[in-house]
Amino acid sequence: MKLVTVLPFLVVIFLCFCLPILPSQTIVKVGKSITGNHKMVSAGGSFALGFFTPVNSNFTYLGIWYNTIPEQTVVWVANRESPIPQNSTAVFTIGDDGNLVIFDEKRELIWSSNVSFTTKELLTSNSTVGALLDDGNLILRHGESNILWRSFQHPSDTLIRDMRFHFNKISGQQTLISSWMRNEDPRPGNFSFGINRSEGRTSYYIWNQNSVYYRFDDSKKGYTLGITWYISTVTINENVYITLAYYRSLLRVVLNPLGNLQVMVWNRNGSNEWNVEFQAPQAKCELYAHCGPFGSCGIRSSGLCKCLTGFEPRFSTDWANGKWNGGCARKIALGWDGGDRFLKHENMKLPDHAISLGNMSTRECETQCIRNCSCSAYACSINACFIWLGDLLDLGNVITDGRALYVRVHFSELIAHGLSGNSAQRYKILTAKIVSAIFAILLLVSILAFIFKIKRLKRPGKMDGDSALVSSVPSGSLVGKDDMKFLQYSLQNIRDATNNFHEDNKLGKGGFGPVFKGILTEFGEVAIKRLSRRSSQGLEEFMNELKLIAHLQHKNLVSLLGCCVEGEEKILIYEYMPNCSLDKFLFDPTLKVKLDWVTRFGIIEGIAHGMLYLHKYSRLKVIHRDLKASNILLDQEMIPKISDFGMARIFGIDQTQANTKRVVGT
Ligand SMILES: *[C@@H]1O[C@H](CO)[C@@H](O)[C@H](O)[C@H]1NC(C)=O
Ligand SMILES: *[C@@H]1O[C@H](CO)[C@@H](O)[C@H](O)[C@H]1NC(C)=O
Ligand SMILES: *[C@@H]1O[C@H](CO)[C@@H](O)[C@H](O)[C@H]1NC(C)=O
Ligand SMILES: *[C@@H]1O[C@H](CO)[C@@H](O)[C@H](O)[C@H]1NC(C)=O
Ligand SMILES: *[C@@H]1O[C@H](CO)[C@@H](O)[C@H](O)[C@H]1NC(C)=O
Ligand SMILES: *[C@@H]1O[C@H](CO)[C@@H](O)[C@H](O)[C@H]1NC(C)=O
Ligand SMILES: *[C@@H]1O[C@H](CO)[C@@H](O)[C@H](O)[C@H]1NC(C)=O
Ligand SMILES: *[C@@H]1O[C@H](CO)[C@@H](O)[C@H](O)[C@H]1NC(C)=O
Ligand SMILES: *[C@@H]1O[C@H](CO)[C@@H](O)[C@H](O)[C@H]1NC(C)=O
């Protein structure tokens, strides 16, 4: 919730606590009244309450106005429906029943706050008081803290700071703001303003008597200057409250007698008068359903209204003469036989009477709409699908905050308009489905071929030397014929190869120790890892483990070429990878561009192959336990090679259990 919307409530709460210390002139109680030119002023002096007579009027009303500005600006009127003739002297006080009341001089009731008290309250009803709070709220209070009635909940034509009025989501009951009849006549006029929440969607409405005059949505994109910049809603339990979103003291939103919602600001540039900051509706197109059913309103050279594609004016002569409210009708009736399609309209103000179907994908939304015979359009937002049944009313092209609307038309309309709708997407999806089906079949075939090949290889005497896919584990002893490839070096050899572990030769530092680049006569460039962690195993076990790991040979695994074990020094020699590790590529902005999708896919596939080998096809079951981008090295051809596998084994961490005792690495 925005602070702006919370603040007014905090102020109200704060003021409620302050009530007991209000000076006495700010209240009416039994035996105290307001009459004639007397006025009641709020504690901070911001607002005043009293009788007023508008210019050129023969009637008097009880109202609340700003007390701080010279121009009497009435924000609330009590007796709008029962004006007091000017020759009569009225009294505002607490009635015998404890309500706030206005009597005329014959003590006839003109107006009452009309609160029904409980029996207990009735017994002590002579202890109620009326008080004007400094935010302009007139309250009826019983005892010190029990507020029975608030003028804020019975608004006139003005919304002021701290004021909020409600709409009950369950009962649909709500308070409305209603315009004055004329500028000098506070009696209720033809226009009213409020919200209606239907099917999970809140819209604000201005009604002209019983018909909708103007509608706007509670769009959360508040970047464009619209009326929702100034008005917002707060939902508390089942009530939605309308309140000012814009926190400025001398700002009010008023529904004027012509049906315009105006944001007024006092003294904007030293003018010492009320200035209209914003007004809605602004254009003819904003008027409700200006173009009738299926007519779209927008500023265009051919006139404001246009029928949606696939529709034509219902009354063509009226339409030609600019009488648009008849709207449009379908050129071709819908098929209902699965032959209907959707045409996409971009940047639309969505029609009225949306039905929310909740969170679902665009496709699901489309399916829901096509299934329902009366559904004529759908639209999707991030977490909701909306459908519309029957006529589409009040839609238009908008420049900002527009949405895509999919309108249902007969299939032939799509052909007539060059297949531009969502159906084009459907064909794409269909094509994609066919392609992926073929791909899946190919994949299945190759997997079968792969398995077949392994079986063949595993059969003794059938080894054909193709060891690119599977390890050529020597049969018999662990140290077999391939053993000669795994060489042991003296520490002096390594020192020579790395220029005595010179900093210039350092490639990086892994989890198990620093890595240096070195040159060995047998292999050329190699990566030399100087282990800094101590193995929990004895030397012989360590060597055995190393030899086993050295036998894990796969295109996507970094080969262990040799080692050096002298005293405390344990060094591993790996093949050298010129293209560093994957994380360098992923997180370097310049290197990143080298990774096109083909390369990325190749890398992903390679890693998967390597892991599959380690888990399944190698003789030694190896769980990596620290697979991360920095452990994926890349060769010249960007083929990924997994490094640091088997470290868990080397360091004697139990790998036979499926669930390990602690979380290792990534
Ligand atoms: C007020 O009363 C006078 C005389 O009774 C009448 O001429 C005038 O039209 C009335 N004004 C309004 C606004 O009704
Ligand atoms: C006020 O004027 C009306 C007619 O204009 C009259 O009927 C009524 O009796 C008058 N009231 C008083 C208190 O003079
Ligand atoms: C006062 O409230 C009662 C019901 O609580 C209602 O019947 C009556 O019409 C109301 N009177 C006025 C003047 O609003
Ligand atoms: C309220 O009325 C009761 C009896 O009806 C009376 O005893 C009491 O004094 C009255 N209190 C005030 C504040 O008038
Ligand atoms: C309210 O509407 C009616 C008819 O719709 C019209 O005759 C009347 O003049 C309107 N009132 C105002 C104050 O505009
Ligand atoms: C609010 O919306 C519901 C459902 O669309 C409708 O039945 C009701 O009449 C609307 N209320 C007003 C005041 O327009
Ligand atoms: C105040 O500013 C508005 C525009 O922001 C302008 O239309 C108006 O004339 C200005 N009023 C004065 C008194 O300068
Ligand atoms: C269409 O959907 C609406 C709202 O979900 C529902 O009330 C109506 O019964 C549906 N009609 C058909 C024919 O399914
Ligand atoms: C909507 O559904 C998607 C996927 O089903 C989910 O990721 C997303 O969090 C959902 N959004 C909301 C607001 O529930």
Side-chain angles (χ1 to χ4, degrees):
M1 216 190 293
K2 273 184 282 184
L3 185 62
V4 174
T5 54
V6 178
L7 267 177
F9 309 147
L10 292 181
V11 170
V12 171
I13 290 162
F14 177 67
L15 284 170
C16 293
F17 282 123
C18 294
L19 276 177
I21 55 156
L22 286 179
S24 63
Q25 74 263 28
T26 66
I27 61 167
V28 281
K29 55 184 184 186
V30 174
K32 272 203 150 200
S33 59
I34 303 285
T35 185
N37 288 334
H38 293 120
K39 62 182 183 181
M40 190 164 133
V41 176
S42 66
S46 302
F47 287 90
L49 176 144
F51 288 100
F52 73 98
T53 305
V55 241
N56 301 325
S57 173
N58 291 340
F59 294 101
T60 300
Y61 301 87
L62 179 79
I64 297 173
W65 57 86
Y66 290 100
N67 195 40
T68 49
I69 54 175
E71 189 181 319
Q72 190 186 58
T73 310
V74 176
V75 295
W76 183 77
V77 181
N79 54 322
R80 294 179 76 186
E81 272 140 62
S82 42
I84 306 155
Q86 232 180 345
N87 60 358
S88 170
T89 317
V91 177
F92 171 63
T93 185
I94 296 286
D96 297 335
D97 64 348
N99 267 305
L100 292 168
V101 288
I102 302 171
F103 288 133
D104 68 7
E105 52 208 357
K106 293 173 201 144
R107 264 192 90 79
E108 292 212 8
L109 186 68
I110 292 172
W111 175 85
S112 164
S113 54
N114 202 17
V115 178
S116 1
F117 297 101
T118 61
T119 335
K120 186 173 160 251
E121 284 162 349
L122 254 176
L123 287 174
T124 54
S125 65
N126 57 0
S127 61
T128 56
V129 291
L132 181 62
L133 305 184
D134 207 37
D135 55 4
N137 195 5
L138 173 69
I139 58 163
L140 176 65
R141 184 159 51 89
H142 180 259
E144 287 304 330
S145 58
N146 187 10
I147 297 174
L148 305 167
W149 184 90
R150 297 174 169 87
S151 66
F152 273 6
Q153 286 175 354
H154 302 83
S156 296
D157 68 335
T158 308
L159 188 56
I160 56 173
R161 200 185 85 176
D162 301 346
M163 180 171 167
R164 55 180 180 146
F165 61 100
H166 86 293
F167 172 84
N168 189 300
K169 281 196 277 186
I170 293 163
S171 66
Q173 197 188 44
Q174 72 168 321
T175 331
L176 295 177
I177 275 185
S178 63
S179 67
W180 286 21
M181 200 169 265
R182 275 182 300 277
N183 277 338
E184 280 91 37
D185 192 343
R187 285 178 298 163
N190 282 344
F191 295 96
S192 53
F193 167 67
I195 51 177
N196 198 357
R197 246 183 95 86
S198 67
E199 311 284 350
R201 199 173 153 84
T202 304
S203 287
Y204 298 84
Y205 291 91
I206 295 176
W207 288 275
N208 182 353
Q209 290 174 307
N210 290 323
S211 55
V212 179
Y213 175 69
Y214 171 63
R215 171 188 73 108
F216 58 96
D217 280 326
D218 192 6
S219 144
K220 289 295 168 204
K221 297 180 191 171
Y223 303 115
T224 45
L225 188 71
I227 197 75
T228 43
W229 235 78
Y230 300 97
I231 297 174
S232 70
T233 50
V234 181
T235 307
I236 301 170
N237 301 329
E238 80 266 19
N239 284 323
V240 180
Y241 293 93
I242 302 183
T243 176
L244 279 193
Y246 204 73
Y247 199 79
R248 205 195 290 182
S249 60
L250 285 171
L251 181 144
R252 67 198 166 103
V253 172
V254 56
L255 181 65
N256 78 5
L258 299 173
N260 296 316
L261 207 53
Q262 290 182 316
V263 181
M264 309 287 276
V265 177
W266 176 258
N267 197 16
R268 188 167 49 188
N269 40 10
S271 57
N272 231 29
E273 62 181 13
W274 288 99
N275 302 111
V276 180
E277 176 130 325
F278 190 82
Q279 171 170 318
Q282 286 191 316
K284 276 227 165 97
C285 254
E286 290 185 358
L287 298 182
Y288 187 79
H290 192 60
C291 298
F294 300 108
S296 164
C297 202
I299 312 290
R300 38 176 95 82
S301 53
S302 56
L304 287 180
C305 294
K306 198 185 92 173
C307 287
L308 294 174
T309 313
F311 294 80
E312 59 194 0
R314 202 171 294 219
F315 310 107
S316 47
T317 39
D318 279 358
W319 190 269
N321 293 330
K323 278 188 193 159
W324 290 304
N325 48 12
C328 310
R330 291 184 188 281
K331 285 188 203 158
I332 303 165
L334 291 177
W336 310 127
D337 52 1
D340 297 335
R341 296 290 181 268
F342 290 90
L343 268 176
K344 186 179 185 181
H345 296 265
E346 298 270 17
N347 298 324
M348 297 297 283
K349 171 188 176 186
L350 297 182
D352 198 9
H353 306 304
I355 295 173
S356 169
L357 297 183
N359 185 9
M360 57 173 76
S361 72
T362 309
R363 274 198 62 75
E364 266 178 279
C365 196
E366 182 180 320
T367 313
Q368 288 297 323
C369 186
I370 208 101
R371 265 192 211 150
N372 193 322
C373 297
S374 37
C375 179
S376 43
Y378 75 89
C380 280
S381 70
I382 302 160
N383 48 28
C385 156
F386 297 103
I387 62 166
W388 285 267
L389 307 179
D391 286 355
L392 299 181
L393 270 180
D394 196 33
L395 63 163
N397 283 104
V398 288
I399 299 154
T400 51
D401 294 354
R403 307 265 199 83
L405 177 73
Y406 298 88
V407 178
R408 186 177 195 160
V409 291
H410 189 264
F411 182 55
S412 58
E413 288 297 339
L414 276 189
I415 297 164
H417 295 93
L419 209 77
S420 59
N422 202 29
S423 299
Q425 257 175 353
R426 237 187 226 189
Y427 285 106
K428 275 188 210 159
I429 290 165
L430 193 68
T431 320
K433 270 187 182 169
I434 292 168
V435 169
S436 49
I438 293 170
F439 191 75
I441 291 166
L442 286 178
L443 197 71
L444 196 71
V445 168
S446 47
I447 287 171
L448 286 177
F450 181 68
I451 291 167
F452 179 70
K453 203 169 185 181
I454 289 164
K455 281 195 175 155
R456 219 159 48 105
L457 282 172
K458 278 192 174 168
R459 243 175 276 149
K462 286 254 180 169
M463 266 209 210
D464 55 9
D466 183 3
S467 59
L469 286 170
V470 288
S471 68
S472 49
V473 178
S475 48
S477 82
L478 290 173
V479 189
K481 57 177 177 166
D482 284 341
D483 214 22
M484 47 196 300
K485 258 172 123 188
F486 184 67
L487 297 170
Q488 286 196 45
Y489 290 90
S490 69
L491 187 58
Q492 192 51 49
N493 281 350
I494 303 293
R495 281 189 198 282
D496 292 344
T498 58
N499 193 11
N500 198 15
F501 301 113
H502 196 275
E503 276 295 305
D504 289 350
N505 287 333
K506 198 163 168 177
L507 292 171
K509 187 161 165 57
F512 298 96
V515 183
F516 298 86
K517 187 178 170 180
I519 294 177
L520 292 173
T521 42
E522 291 88 344
F523 303 106
E525 286 181 326
V526 289
I528 292 170
K529 180 171 285 216
R530 194 178 189 190
L531 299 181
S532 52
R533 276 170 60 174
R534 279 165 145 250
S535 167
S536 64
Q537 296 169 321
L539 185 64
E540 204 179 328
E541 281 171 288
F542 179 75
M543 285 305 292
N544 272 344
E545 208 65 64
L546 273 190
K547 280 171 190 166
L548 281 173
I549 288 163
H551 282 122
L552 301 178
Q553 305 264 324
H554 189 273
K555 185 172 103 172
N556 297 114
L557 296 182
V558 177
S559 304
L560 179 62
L561 304 173
C563 72
C564 160
V565 181
E566 267 185 32
E568 286 297 290
E569 204 68 75
K570 287 193 174 104
I571 292 164
L572 304 179
I573 299 157
Y574 288 101
E575 60 176 316
Y576 174 68
M577 291 290 141
N579 263 340
C580 321
S581 54
L582 182 59
D583 63 336
K584 298 250 163 49
F585 273 88
L586 287 179
F587 304 119
D588 187 312
T590 52
L591 287 175
K592 202 153 91 177
V593 290
K594 275 194 178 176
L595 285 181
D596 55 25
W597 280 107
V598 178
T599 316
R600 279 167 196 254
F601 186 73
I603 290 171
I604 293 165
E605 205 183 25
I607 297 167
H609 272 307
M611 292 307 291
L612 187 69
Y613 171 75
L614 284 178
H615 288 180
K616 209 163 174 190
Y617 295 120
S618 66
R619 183 167 153 193
L620 204 60
K621 288 276 177 290
V622 177
I623 300 171
H624 195 296
R625 303 186 72 190
D626 199 17
L627 190 65
K628 56 188 176 188
S630 61
N631 273 339
I632 307 298
L633 306 183
L634 298 163
D635 72 6
Q636 283 112 320
E637 289 143 34
M638 299 296 281
I639 291 171
K641 290 182 187 267
I642 300 169
S643 78
D644 274 2
F645 59 91
M647 282 300 176
R649 288 188 77 100
I650 291 174
F651 288 98
I653 303 161
D654 185 16
Q655 279 197 316
T656 56
Q657 280 175 320
N659 48 349
T660 55
K661 287 183 212 101
R662 59 191 182 92
V663 180
V664 178
T666 44

